[in-house]
Amino acid sequence: MGEGDQRLHLLDAWQESPFYSDRERAALSWCEAVTRITEGRVPDEVYELARAQFSETELVNLTLAIVAINGANRLNIAFRTVPGSHRVRRAAMAAE
């Protein structure tokens, strides 16, 4: 979809990388905080950072996307889905 390899490969190091905008950093920080709720809530500083970059509607939509992705990941973990296996099955079905 037009995203360069460099930014994709550096996603794990987004905090140290200079290749993400303030808005992207706020989204990534929000994503990590929503995914790793250890205090029972998103830390205030992360919430304030996200609210500074996103409207209420945008933040709700971002949060729903994070919840959907986390849910899918948990289903895959629970059912021991092998990463990439969906492509193998799709290719096998197409060959039939």
Side-chain angles (χ1 to χ4, degrees), residues 1-77:
M1 298 181 75
E3 188 58 63
D5 286 346
Q6 184 177 39
R7 286 172 31 100
L8 292 174
H9 292 299
L10 289 172
L11 196 53
D12 285 344
W14 68 268
Q15 291 175 321
E16 296 84 17
S17 172
F19 302 112
Y20 301 96
S21 69
D22 289 344
R23 184 171 166 91
E24 291 168 330
R25 290 176 184 284
L28 291 165
S29 183
W30 183 255
C31 181
E32 286 184 357
V34 169
T35 299
R36 299 178 183 150
I37 301 283
T38 57
E39 300 173 12
R41 63 186 175 93
V42 170
D44 291 340
E45 61 273 8
V46 175
Y47 176 79
E48 295 301 326
L49 180 65
R51 287 296 289 141
Q53 293 293 327
F54 298 98
S55 70
E56 186 173 337
T57 299
E58 289 174 321
L59 193 56
V60 167
N61 289 336
L62 176 59
T63 305
L64 289 173
I66 293 165
V67 168
I69 292 166
N70 283 335
N73 286 339
R74 280 158 178 74
L75 285 170
N76 286 323
I77 291 166

